[in-house]
Coordinates of all heavy atoms in Angstrom, one line a residue:
M30 N -33.1 16.3 34.3 CA -32.6 14.9 34.7 C -33.1 13.9 33.6 O -34.2 14.0 33.2 CB -33.2 14.6 36.1 CG -32.7 13.3 36.6 SD -33.2 13.1 38.3 CE -33.2 11.3 38.4
V31 N -32.2 13.0 33.3 CA -32.5 12.0 32.2 C -33.3 10.9 32.9 O -33.0 10.3 33.9 CB -31.2 11.4 31.6 CG1 -31.6 10.4 30.6 CG2 -30.4 12.6 31.0
E32 N -34.4 10.5 32.2 CA -35.3 9.4 32.7 C -34.6 8.1 32.3 O -34.1 7.9 31.2 CB -36.6 9.5 32.0 CG -37.4 10.8 32.3 CD -38.2 10.6 33.6 OE1 -38.6 9.5 33.9 OE2 -38.4 11.6 34.3
P33 N -34.6 7.2 33.2 CA -34.1 5.8 32.9 C -35.0 5.2 31.9 O -36.2 5.5 31.8 CB -34.1 5.1 34.2 CG -35.0 5.8 35.1 CD -35.1 7.2 34.6
P34 N -34.4 4.3 31.0 CA -35.3 3.7 30.0 C -36.4 2.8 30.6 O -36.2 2.2 31.7 CB -34.3 2.8 29.2 CG -33.1 2.6 30.0 CD -33.1 3.8 30.9
K35 N -37.5 2.7 30.0 CA -38.6 1.8 30.5 C -38.1 0.4 30.3 O -37.4 0.1 29.4 CB -39.9 2.1 29.7 CG -40.4 3.5 29.9 CD -41.7 3.7 29.1 CE -42.1 5.1 29.3 NZ -43.2 5.5 28.3
V36 N -38.6 -0.4 31.2 CA -38.2 -1.8 31.2 C -38.4 -2.5 29.9 O -37.6 -3.3 29.5 CB -38.9 -2.6 32.3 CG1 -38.6 -4.1 32.3 CG2 -38.6 -2.0 33.7
D37 N -39.5 -2.2 29.1 CA -39.8 -3.0 27.9 C -39.1 -2.4 26.7 O -39.2 -2.9 25.6 CB -41.3 -3.1 27.7 CG -41.9 -1.7 27.6 OD1 -41.2 -0.7 28.0 OD2 -43.1 -1.6 27.1
E38 N -38.2 -1.3 26.9 CA -37.5 -0.8 25.7 C -36.2 -1.6 25.5 O -35.5 -1.9 26.5 CB -37.1 0.7 26.0 CG -38.3 1.6 26.0 CD -37.9 3.0 26.3 OE1 -36.7 3.3 26.6 OE2 -38.8 3.9 26.2
P39 N -35.9 -2.0 24.3 CA -34.7 -2.8 24.0 C -33.4 -1.9 24.3 O -33.4 -0.8 24.1 CB -34.8 -3.1 22.5 CG -35.7 -2.1 22.0 CD -36.6 -1.7 23.0
R40 N -32.4 -2.6 24.9 CA -31.1 -1.9 25.1 C -30.2 -2.2 24.0 O -30.3 -3.3 23.3 CB -30.6 -2.4 26.5 CG -31.5 -2.1 27.7 CD -30.8 -2.6 28.9 NE -30.3 -4.0 28.8 CZ -29.3 -4.5 29.5 NH1 -28.7 -3.8 30.4 NH2 -28.9 -5.7 29.3
V41 N -29.2 -1.4 23.8 CA -28.2 -1.6 22.8 C -27.5 -3.0 23.0 O -27.3 -3.7 22.1 CB -27.1 -0.5 22.8 CG1 -26.0 -0.8 21.9 CG2 -27.8 0.8 22.4
E42 N -27.2 -3.3 24.2 CA -26.5 -4.5 24.5 C -27.3 -5.7 24.1 O -26.8 -6.7 23.6 CB -26.2 -4.6 26.0 CG -25.1 -3.7 26.5 CD -25.6 -2.3 26.8 OE1 -26.8 -2.0 26.6 OE2 -24.8 -1.4 27.1
D43 N -28.6 -5.6 24.2 CA -29.5 -6.7 23.8 C -29.5 -6.9 22.3 O -29.5 -8.0 21.8 CB -30.9 -6.5 24.3 CG -31.0 -6.5 25.8 OD1 -30.2 -7.1 26.4 OD2 -32.0 -5.8 26.3
K44 N -29.4 -5.8 21.6 CA -29.3 -5.9 20.1 C -28.0 -6.4 19.7 O -27.9 -7.3 18.8 CB -29.5 -4.5 19.5 CG -30.9 -3.9 19.7 CD -31.5 -3.8 18.3 CE -32.9 -3.2 18.4 NZ -33.7 -3.5 17.2
L45 N -26.9 -6.0 20.3 CA -25.6 -6.5 19.9 C -25.5 -8.0 20.2 O -24.8 -8.7 19.4 CB -24.5 -5.7 20.7 CG -24.3 -4.2 20.3 CD1 -23.3 -3.6 21.2 CD2 -24.0 -4.1 18.9
F46 N -26.1 -8.4 21.2 CA -26.0 -9.8 21.5 C -26.6 -10.7 20.4 O -26.3 -11.9 20.3 CB -26.8 -10.1 22.9 CG -26.7 -11.5 23.3 CD1 -25.5 -12.0 23.9 CD2 -27.8 -12.3 23.3 CE1 -25.5 -13.3 24.3 CE2 -27.7 -13.6 23.7 CZ -26.6 -14.1 24.2
Q47 N -27.5 -10.1 19.6 CA -28.1 -10.9 18.5 C -27.2 -11.1 17.3 O -27.5 -11.8 16.4 CB -29.4 -10.3 18.1 CG -30.4 -10.3 19.3 CD -31.7 -9.6 19.0 OE1 -32.1 -9.5 17.8 NE2 -32.4 -9.2 20.0
N48 N -26.1 -10.3 17.2 CA -25.2 -10.4 16.1 C -24.5 -11.8 16.2 O -24.3 -12.3 17.3 CB -24.1 -9.3 16.1 CG -24.7 -8.0 15.9 OD1 -25.8 -7.8 15.3 ND2 -24.0 -6.9 16.3
R49 N -24.0 -12.3 15.1 CA -23.2 -13.5 15.1 C -21.9 -13.1 14.5 O -21.8 -12.3 13.7 CB -23.9 -14.6 14.3 CG -25.2 -15.0 14.9 CD -25.0 -15.7 16.3 NE -26.3 -16.0 16.9 CZ -26.8 -15.3 17.9 NH1 -26.3 -14.2 18.3 NH2 -28.0 -15.6 18.4
Y50 N -20.8 -13.9 14.9 CA -19.5 -13.6 14.4 C -18.8 -14.9 14.2 O -18.7 -15.8 15.0 CB -18.7 -12.8 15.5 CG -17.4 -12.2 15.0 CD1 -17.4 -11.0 14.4 CD2 -16.3 -13.0 15.0 CE1 -16.2 -10.4 13.9 CE2 -15.1 -12.5 14.4 CZ -15.1 -11.2 13.9 OH -13.9 -10.7 13.4
L51 N -18.3 -15.0 12.9 CA -17.6 -16.2 12.6 C -16.1 -15.9 12.6 O -15.6 -15.1 11.7 CB -18.0 -16.7 11.2 CG -17.4 -18.1 10.7 CD1 -17.7 -19.2 11.7 CD2 -18.0 -18.4 9.4
V52 N -15.4 -16.5 13.5 CA -13.9 -16.2 13.7 C -13.1 -16.9 12.6 O -13.3 -18.1 12.4 CB -13.5 -16.6 15.1 CG1 -12.0 -16.4 15.2 CG2 -14.2 -15.9 16.1
D53 N -12.2 -16.1 12.0 CA -11.3 -16.7 11.0 C -10.0 -17.0 11.8 O -9.1 -16.2 11.9 CB -11.0 -15.7 9.9 CG -10.3 -16.3 8.7 OD1 -10.0 -17.5 8.8 OD2 -10.0 -15.6 7.7
A54 N -10.0 -18.2 12.4 CA -8.9 -18.6 13.3 C -7.5 -18.4 12.8 O -7.3 -18.8 11.7 CB -9.1 -20.0 13.8
G55 N -6.7 -17.7 13.5 CA -5.3 -17.5 13.1 C -5.1 -16.4 12.1 O -4.0 -16.2 11.7
R56 N -6.2 -15.7 11.7 CA -6.1 -14.6 10.7 C -6.9 -13.4 11.2 O -7.9 -13.1 10.6 CB -6.6 -15.1 9.3 CG -5.8 -16.3 8.8 CD -6.3 -16.7 7.4 NE -6.0 -15.6 6.4 CZ -5.8 -15.9 5.1 NH1 -6.1 -17.1 4.7 NH2 -5.5 -14.9 4.3
P57 N -6.4 -12.8 12.3 CA -7.1 -11.6 12.8 C -7.1 -10.5 11.8 O -6.1 -10.3 11.1 CB -6.3 -11.3 14.0 CG -5.0 -11.8 13.8 CD -5.2 -13.1 13.0
H58 N -8.2 -9.8 11.6 CA -8.3 -8.8 10.6 C -7.9 -7.4 11.2 O -7.8 -6.4 10.4 CB -9.7 -8.7 10.0 CG -10.7 -8.2 10.9 ND1 -11.3 -8.9 11.8 CD2 -11.3 -6.9 11.0 CE1 -12.2 -8.2 12.5 NE2 -12.2 -7.0 12.0
V59 N -7.6 -7.4 12.5 CA -7.0 -6.2 13.1 C -5.8 -6.6 13.9 O -5.8 -7.5 14.6 CB -8.0 -5.5 14.1 CG1 -7.5 -4.2 14.6 CG2 -9.4 -5.3 13.4
K60 N -4.7 -5.8 13.6 CA -3.4 -6.1 14.3 C -2.9 -4.8 14.9 O -3.0 -3.7 14.2 CB -2.4 -6.7 13.4 CG -2.8 -8.0 12.8 CD -1.8 -8.5 11.8 CE -2.2 -9.8 11.1 NZ -1.3 -10.2 10.0
I61 N -2.2 -4.9 16.0 CA -1.6 -3.7 16.6 C -0.1 -3.8 16.4 O 0.5 -4.9 16.6 CB -1.9 -3.7 18.1 CG1 -3.4 -3.4 18.4 CG2 -1.1 -2.6 18.8 CD1 -3.8 -3.3 19.8
R62 N 0.5 -2.7 16.1 CA 1.9 -2.6 16.0 C 2.6 -2.8 17.3 O 2.1 -2.3 18.3 CB 2.4 -1.2 15.4 CG 3.9 -1.1 15.3 CD 4.2 0.2 14.6 NE 3.7 1.4 15.5 CZ 3.9 2.6 15.2 NH1 4.5 3.0 14.0 NH2 3.5 3.6 15.9
A63 N 3.6 -3.6 17.4 CA 4.3 -3.9 18.7 C 4.7 -2.5 19.3 O 5.2 -1.6 18.6 CB 5.5 -4.8 18.5
H64 N 4.6 -2.4 20.6 CA 4.9 -1.1 21.2 C 5.3 -1.4 22.7 O 4.9 -2.4 23.3 CB 3.7 -0.1 21.2 CG 2.5 -0.7 21.8 ND1 1.6 -1.5 21.2 CD2 1.9 -0.4 23.0 CE1 0.6 -1.8 22.0 NE2 0.8 -1.2 23.1
I65 N 6.1 -0.5 23.2 CA 6.4 -0.5 24.7 C 5.4 0.2 25.5 O 4.8 -0.3 26.4 CB 7.8 0.1 24.9 CG1 8.9 -0.6 24.0 CG2 8.2 0.0 26.4 CD1 9.3 -1.9 24.4
E66 N 5.1 1.5 25.0 CA 4.1 2.3 25.7 C 3.1 2.7 24.6 O 3.5 3.0 23.5 CB 4.7 3.6 26.2 CG 5.6 3.3 27.5 CD 5.9 4.6 28.2 OE1 5.3 5.6 27.9 OE2 6.9 4.6 28.9
P67 N 1.8 2.6 24.9 CA 0.8 2.8 23.9 C 0.7 4.3 23.6 O 0.9 5.2 24.5 CB -0.5 2.3 24.5 CG -0.2 2.3 26.0 CD 1.2 2.1 26.1
S68 N 0.4 4.6 22.4 CA 0.2 6.0 21.9 C -1.2 6.5 22.5 O -2.0 5.6 22.8 CB 0.2 6.1 20.4 OG -0.9 5.4 19.9
P69 N -1.4 7.8 22.5 CA -2.8 8.3 22.9 C -3.9 7.7 22.0 O -5.0 7.4 22.5 CB -2.7 9.8 22.7 CG -1.2 10.1 22.8 CD -0.5 8.9 22.2
E70 N -3.6 7.5 20.7 CA -4.6 6.9 19.8 C -4.9 5.5 20.2 O -6.1 5.1 20.2 CB -4.1 6.9 18.4 CG -4.0 8.3 17.8 CD -2.8 9.1 18.2 OE1 -1.9 8.5 18.8 OE2 -2.7 10.3 17.8
L71 N -3.9 4.7 20.6 CA -4.2 3.3 21.0 C -5.0 3.3 22.3 O -5.9 2.5 22.5 CB -2.9 2.5 21.2 CG -2.2 1.9 19.9 CD1 -0.9 1.2 20.3 CD2 -3.2 1.0 19.2
L72 N -4.6 4.1 23.2 CA -5.3 4.2 24.5 C -6.8 4.6 24.3 O -7.7 4.1 24.9 CB -4.7 5.2 25.4 CG -3.3 4.7 26.0 CD1 -2.7 5.8 26.8 CD2 -3.5 3.5 26.9
A73 N -7.0 5.5 23.3 CA -8.4 5.9 23.0 C -9.2 4.7 22.6 O -10.4 4.7 22.8 CB -8.4 7.0 22.0
L74 N -8.6 3.8 21.9 CA -9.4 2.7 21.3 C -10.1 1.8 22.4 O -11.1 1.2 22.2 CB -8.5 1.8 20.4 CG -7.9 2.5 19.2 CD1 -7.1 1.4 18.4 CD2 -8.9 3.2 18.4
I75 N -9.4 1.8 23.6 CA -10.0 1.0 24.7 C -11.4 1.5 25.0 O -12.3 0.8 25.4 CB -9.1 1.1 25.9 CG1 -7.7 0.4 25.5 CG2 -9.7 0.4 27.1 CD1 -6.7 0.6 26.6
K76 N -11.6 2.9 25.0 CA -12.8 3.4 25.3 C -13.8 3.6 24.1 O -15.0 3.6 24.3 CB -12.6 4.8 25.9 CG -12.0 4.8 27.3 CD -11.9 6.1 27.9 CE -11.3 6.1 29.3 NZ -11.2 7.3 30.0
I77 N -13.2 3.7 23.0 CA -14.0 4.0 21.8 C -14.7 2.8 21.1 O -15.8 2.8 20.7 CB -13.2 4.8 20.8 CG1 -12.9 6.2 21.3 CG2 -13.9 4.9 19.4 CD1 -11.9 7.0 20.5
C78 N -14.0 1.7 21.1 CA -14.5 0.5 20.4 C -15.8 0.0 21.0 O -15.8 -0.3 22.2 CB -13.4 -0.6 20.5 SG -14.1 -2.2 19.8
P79 N -16.9 0.0 20.3 CA -18.1 -0.4 20.8 C -18.2 -1.9 21.2 O -19.0 -2.3 22.0 CB -19.1 0.0 19.7 CG -18.3 0.0 18.5 CD -17.0 0.4 18.9
A80 N -17.3 -2.7 20.6 CA -17.3 -4.1 20.8 C -16.3 -4.5 21.9 O -16.1 -5.6 22.2 CB -17.0 -4.9 19.6
R81 N -15.6 -3.5 22.4 CA -14.6 -3.7 23.5 C -13.5 -4.7 23.1 O -13.2 -5.6 23.8 CB -15.2 -4.1 24.8 CG -16.2 -3.0 25.3 CD -16.7 -3.3 26.6 NE -17.6 -2.2 27.1 CZ -18.3 -2.2 28.2 NH1 -18.3 -3.3 29.0 NH2 -19.1 -1.2 28.5
C82 N -13.0 -4.5 21.9 CA -12.0 -5.4 21.3 C -10.6 -5.1 21.9 O -9.7 -5.9 21.8 CB -12.0 -5.4 19.8 SG -13.5 -6.0 19.0
Y83 N -10.5 -3.9 22.4 CA -9.1 -3.4 22.8 C -9.1 -3.4 24.3 O -10.1 -3.0 25.0 CB -8.8 -2.0 22.3 CG -8.7 -2.0 20.8 CD1 -9.8 -1.8 20.0 CD2 -7.5 -2.1 20.2 CE1 -9.7 -1.7 18.6 CE2 -7.4 -2.1 18.8 CZ -8.5 -1.9 18.0 OH -8.4 -1.8 16.7
E84 N -8.0 -3.8 24.9 CA -7.8 -3.7 26.3 C -6.3 -3.6 26.7 O -5.5 -4.0 25.9 CB -8.4 -4.9 27.1 CG -7.9 -6.2 26.7 CD -8.6 -7.4 27.4 OE1 -9.8 -7.2 27.9 OE2 -8.0 -8.4 27.6
L85 N -6.0 -3.2 27.9 CA -4.7 -3.1 28.4 C -4.3 -4.4 29.0 O -5.1 -5.1 29.7 CB -4.5 -2.0 29.5 CG -4.3 -0.6 29.1 CD1 -4.2 0.3 30.4 CD2 -3.1 -0.4 28.2
N86 N -3.0 -4.9 28.7 CA -2.5 -6.1 29.4 C -1.8 -5.7 30.6 O -1.7 -4.5 31.0 CB -1.7 -6.9 28.4 CG -0.4 -6.2 28.0 OD1 0.1 -5.3 28.6 ND2 0.2 -6.7 26.9
A87 N -1.2 -6.7 31.3 CA -0.6 -6.4 32.6 C 0.7 -5.6 32.4 O 1.1 -4.9 33.4 CB -0.2 -7.8 33.2
K88 N 1.2 -5.5 31.2 CA 2.4 -4.6 31.0 C 2.0 -3.2 30.6 O 2.9 -2.4 30.3 CB 3.3 -5.2 29.9 CG 3.9 -6.6 30.2 CD 4.6 -7.2 29.0 CE 5.2 -8.5 29.3 NZ 5.8 -9.1 28.1
G89 N 0.8 -2.9 30.5 CA 0.3 -1.6 30.2 C 0.3 -1.4 28.7 O 0.3 -0.2 28.2
Q90 N 0.4 -2.4 27.9 CA 0.3 -2.4 26.4 C -1.1 -2.7 26.0 O -1.9 -3.4 26.6 CB 1.3 -3.3 25.8 CG 2.7 -3.1 26.2 CD 3.6 -4.3 26.0 OE1 3.2 -5.4 26.0 NE2 4.9 -4.0 25.7
V91 N -1.5 -2.1 24.9 CA -2.8 -2.3 24.3 C -2.8 -3.6 23.5 O -1.9 -3.8 22.6 CB -3.3 -1.1 23.5 CG1 -4.7 -1.4 22.9 CG2 -3.3 0.1 24.3
E92 N -3.8 -4.4 23.7 CA -4.0 -5.7 22.9 C -5.3 -5.6 22.2 O -6.3 -4.9 22.7 CB -3.9 -6.9 23.8 CG -2.6 -7.1 24.5 CD -2.6 -8.4 25.3 OE1 -3.7 -8.8 25.8 OE2 -1.5 -8.9 25.6
V93 N -5.4 -6.3 21.1 CA -6.7 -6.4 20.4 C -7.1 -7.9 20.3 O -6.3 -8.7 20.0 CB -6.7 -5.7 19.1 CG1 -5.7 -6.4 18.1 CG2 -8.1 -5.6 18.4
A94 N -8.4 -8.1 20.5 CA -9.0 -9.4 20.2 C -10.2 -9.1 19.3 O -11.3 -8.8 19.9 CB -9.4 -10.1 21.5
P95 N -10.0 -9.2 18.0 CA -11.1 -8.7 17.1 C -12.3 -9.6 17.0 O -13.2 -9.3 16.2 CB -10.4 -8.5 15.8 CG -9.2 -9.4 15.8 CD -8.8 -9.5 17.3
D96 N -12.3 -10.7 17.8 CA -13.6 -11.5 17.8 C -14.7 -10.7 18.3 O -14.6 -10.1 19.4 CB -13.4 -12.7 18.7 CG -12.2 -13.6 18.3 OD1 -11.5 -13.3 17.4 OD2 -12.0 -14.6 19.0
G97 N -15.7 -10.5 17.6 CA -16.9 -9.7 18.0 C -16.8 -8.3 17.4 O -17.7 -7.5 17.6
C98 N -15.7 -8.0 16.6 CA -15.6 -6.7 15.9 C -16.9 -6.5 15.0 O -17.2 -7.4 14.3 CB -14.4 -6.7 15.1 SG -14.3 -5.3 13.9
M99 N -17.4 -5.3 15.1 CA -18.6 -5.0 14.3 C -18.3 -4.4 12.9 O -19.1 -3.9 12.2 CB -19.6 -4.2 15.0 CG -20.1 -4.9 16.3 SD -21.3 -3.9 17.1 CE -20.2 -2.7 17.9
E100 N -17.0 -4.2 12.7 CA -16.5 -3.6 11.4 C -17.0 -2.2 11.2 O -17.3 -1.8 10.1 CB -16.8 -4.5 10.2 CG -16.2 -5.9 10.3 CD -16.7 -6.9 9.3 OE1 -17.1 -6.5 8.2 OE2 -16.7 -8.1 9.6
C101 N -17.1 -1.5 12.3 CA -17.6 -0.1 12.3 C -16.6 0.8 11.7 O -16.9 1.9 11.2 CB -18.1 0.4 13.7 SG -16.7 0.6 14.8
G102 N -15.3 0.5 11.8 CA -14.2 1.3 11.2 C -13.7 2.4 12.1 O -12.9 3.2 11.7
T103 N -14.3 2.5 13.3 CA -13.9 3.6 14.2 C -12.4 3.6 14.5 O -11.7 4.6 14.5 CB -14.7 3.6 15.5 OG1 -16.1 3.6 15.2 CG2 -14.3 4.8 16.4
C104 N -11.9 2.4 14.9 CA -10.5 2.3 15.2 C -9.6 2.6 14.0 O -8.5 3.1 14.1 CB -10.2 0.9 15.8 SG -10.5 -0.5 14.7
R105 N -10.1 2.2 12.9 CA -9.4 2.4 11.6 C -9.2 3.9 11.4 O -8.1 4.3 11.0 CB -10.2 1.8 10.5 CG -9.5 1.8 9.2 CD -10.3 1.2 8.1 NE -9.4 0.8 7.0 CZ -9.8 0.2 5.9 NH1 -11.1 -0.1 5.8 NH2 -9.0 0.0 4.9
V106 N -10.2 4.7 11.6 CA -10.1 6.1 11.4 C -9.1 6.8 12.4 O -8.3 7.6 12.0 CB -11.5 6.8 11.5 CG1 -11.4 8.3 11.6 CG2 -12.4 6.3 10.4
I107 N -9.1 6.3 13.6 CA -8.3 6.9 14.6 C -6.8 6.4 14.6 O -5.9 7.2 14.7 CB -8.9 6.6 16.0 CG1 -10.2 7.4 16.1 CG2 -7.9 7.0 17.2 CD1 -11.0 7.1 17.4
A108 N -6.6 5.1 14.5 CA -5.3 4.6 14.7 C -4.5 4.1 13.5 O -3.3 3.9 13.5 CB -5.3 3.5 15.8
E109 N -5.3 3.9 12.4 CA -4.5 3.4 11.2 C -3.6 4.5 10.6 O -2.5 4.2 10.2 CB -5.5 2.9 10.1 CG -4.8 2.0 9.1 CD -5.8 1.3 8.2 OE1 -6.7 2.1 7.6 OE2 -5.7 0.1 8.0
P110 N -4.1 5.8 10.6 CA -3.2 6.8 10.0 C -1.9 7.0 10.8 O -0.9 7.4 10.2 CB -4.1 8.1 10.1 CG -5.5 7.6 10.1 CD -5.4 6.3 10.8
T111 N -1.9 6.6 12.1 CA -0.7 6.8 12.9 C 0.2 5.6 12.7 O 1.3 5.6 13.2 CB -1.0 7.0 14.4 OG1 -1.7 5.8 14.8 CG2 -1.9 8.2 14.6
G112 N -0.3 4.5 12.1 CA 0.5 3.3 11.9 C 0.4 2.4 13.1 O 1.1 1.4 13.2
D113 N -0.5 2.7 14.1 CA -0.6 1.9 15.3 C -1.3 0.6 15.1 O -1.1 -0.4 15.8 CB -1.3 2.7 16.4 CG -0.4 3.8 17.0 OD1 0.8 3.5 17.2 OD2 -0.9 4.9 17.3
I114 N -2.2 0.6 14.1 CA -2.9 -0.7 13.8 C -2.9 -0.9 12.3 O -2.7 0.0 11.5 CB -4.4 -0.7 14.3 CG1 -5.2 0.3 13.5 CG2 -4.4 -0.4 15.8 CD1 -6.7 0.2 13.8
E115 N -3.1 -2.2 11.9 CA -3.4 -2.6 10.6 C -4.8 -3.1 10.6 O -5.1 -3.9 11.4 CB -2.4 -3.7 10.1 CG -1.0 -3.3 9.8 CD -0.2 -4.5 9.4 OE1 -0.7 -5.4 8.7 OE2 1.0 -4.5 9.8
W116 N -5.6 -2.7 9.6 CA -7.0 -3.0 9.6 C -7.4 -3.5 8.2 O -7.1 -2.8 7.2 CB -7.8 -1.8 10.0 CG -9.2 -2.1 10.5 CD1 -9.6 -2.1 11.8 CD2 -10.4 -2.3 9.7 NE1 -11.0 -2.3 11.8 CE2 -11.5 -2.5 10.5 CE3 -10.6 -2.4 8.3 CZ2 -12.7 -2.7 10.1 CZ3 -11.9 -2.7 7.8 CH2 -12.9 -2.8 8.7
G117 N -8.1 -4.6 8.1 CA -8.7 -5.0 6.9 C -10.0 -5.7 7.2 O -10.2 -6.2 8.3
Y118 N -10.8 -5.9 6.2 CA -12.0 -6.6 6.4 C -11.7 -8.1 6.5 O -10.7 -8.6 5.9 CB -13.0 -6.4 5.2 CG -13.7 -5.1 5.2 CD1 -13.3 -4.1 4.4 CD2 -14.7 -4.8 6.1 CE1 -13.9 -2.8 4.4 CE2 -15.3 -3.6 6.2 CZ -14.9 -2.6 5.3 OH -15.5 -1.4 5.4
P119 N -12.5 -8.9 7.2 CA -12.3 -10.3 7.3 C -12.5 -10.9 5.9 O -13.1 -10.3 5.0 CB -13.3 -10.8 8.3 CG -13.8 -9.6 9.0 CD -13.6 -8.4 8.1
R120 N -11.9 -12.1 5.7 CA -12.1 -12.8 4.4 C -13.6 -13.1 4.3 O -14.4 -13.1 5.2 CB -11.4 -14.1 4.4 CG -9.9 -14.0 4.3 CD -9.3 -15.4 4.1 NE -9.5 -16.3 5.1 CZ -9.4 -17.7 5.0 NH1 -9.1 -18.1 3.8 NH2 -9.6 -18.5 6.0
G121 N -14.0 -13.2 3.0 CA -15.4 -13.5 2.7 C -15.9 -14.7 3.5 O -15.3 -15.7 3.6
G122 N -17.1 -14.5 4.1 CA -17.7 -15.6 4.9 C -17.4 -15.5 6.3 O -18.0 -16.2 7.2
Y123 N -16.4 -14.7 6.7 CA -16.0 -14.5 8.1 C -16.4 -13.1 8.6 O -16.7 -12.2 7.8 CB -14.5 -14.7 8.3 CG -14.1 -16.1 8.0 CD1 -13.6 -16.5 6.7 CD2 -14.1 -17.1 9.0 CE1 -13.2 -17.8 6.5 CE2 -13.7 -18.4 8.7 CZ -13.2 -18.7 7.5 OH -12.8 -20.0 7.2
G124 N -16.4 -13.0 9.9 CA -16.6 -11.7 10.5 C -18.0 -11.6 11.1 O -18.7 -12.6 11.3
V125 N -18.5 -10.4 11.2 CA -19.8 -10.2 11.8 C -21.0 -10.5 10.9 O -20.9 -10.3 9.6 CB -19.9 -8.7 12.3 CG1 -20.0 -7.7 11.2 CG2 -21.1 -8.5 13.3
L126 N -22.0 -11.0 11.4 CA -23.3 -11.2 10.7 C -24.4 -10.5 11.4 O -24.7 -10.9 12.6 CB -23.6 -12.7 10.6 CG -24.9 -13.1 10.0 CD1 -24.9 -12.7 8.5 CD2 -25.1 -14.6 10.1
F127 N -24.9 -9.4 10.8 CA -25.9 -8.7 11.5 C -27.3 -9.3 11.1 O -27.6 -9.4 10.0 CB -25.9 -7.2 11.0 CG -24.7 -6.5 11.4 CD1 -23.7 -6.2 10.4 CD2 -24.5 -6.0 12.7 CE1 -22.5 -5.5 10.8 CE2 -23.3 -5.3 13.0 CZ -22.4 -5.1 12.1
K128 N -27.9 -9.8 12.2 CA -29.1 -10.6 11.9 C -30.4 -9.7 12.0 O -31.4 -10.0 11.4 CB -29.2 -11.7 12.9 CG -28.1 -12.7 12.8 CD -28.3 -14.0 13.5 CE -29.3 -14.8 12.8 NZ -29.3 -16.2 13.1
F129 N -30.3 -8.7 12.9 CA -31.6 -8.0 13.2 C -31.3 -6.5 13.1 O -31.7 -5.7 14.0 CB -32.1 -8.3 14.5 CG -32.4 -9.8 14.6 CD1 -31.6 -10.7 15.3 CD2 -33.6 -10.3 14.0 CE1 -31.9 -12.0 15.3 CE2 -33.9 -11.6 14.1 CZ -33.0 -12.5 14.7
G130 N -30.6 -6.0 12.1 CA -30.5 -4.6 11.8 C -29.4 -3.9 12.6 O -28.8 -4.3 13.4
Ligands
SF4_22 FE1 -14.0 -2.1 17.5 FE2 -15.2 -1.0 15.3 FE3 -12.5 -1.3 15.4 FE4 -14.1 -3.4 15.2 S1 -13.9 -1.8 13.6 S2 -12.3 -3.3 16.5 S3 -15.8 -2.8 16.4 S4 -13.7 0.0 16.7

């Protein structure tokens, strides 16, 4: 049985909260190809993205809000080869700022 973490141990969520993100308004660095039904790759992004940038809308389509993206590249590896997303780094000065490792 896995022991729960001790109270004084830092949690991943606490570390992520210390990151800062400068939004490049109107210029998202991740875009999803328009679709009626999401591909398995797009659906996978909802669970895989550590920043939870992907979600289903009321029509059952996958949407992305890259504010808070950590630029880990996971979605890029999975969904860019299928053409489901377009991914690029934010412009210089924008995007994630890792303050504490
Ligand atoms: Fe999420 Fe990583 Fe893709 Fe950013 S690069 S949207 S954090 S999976």
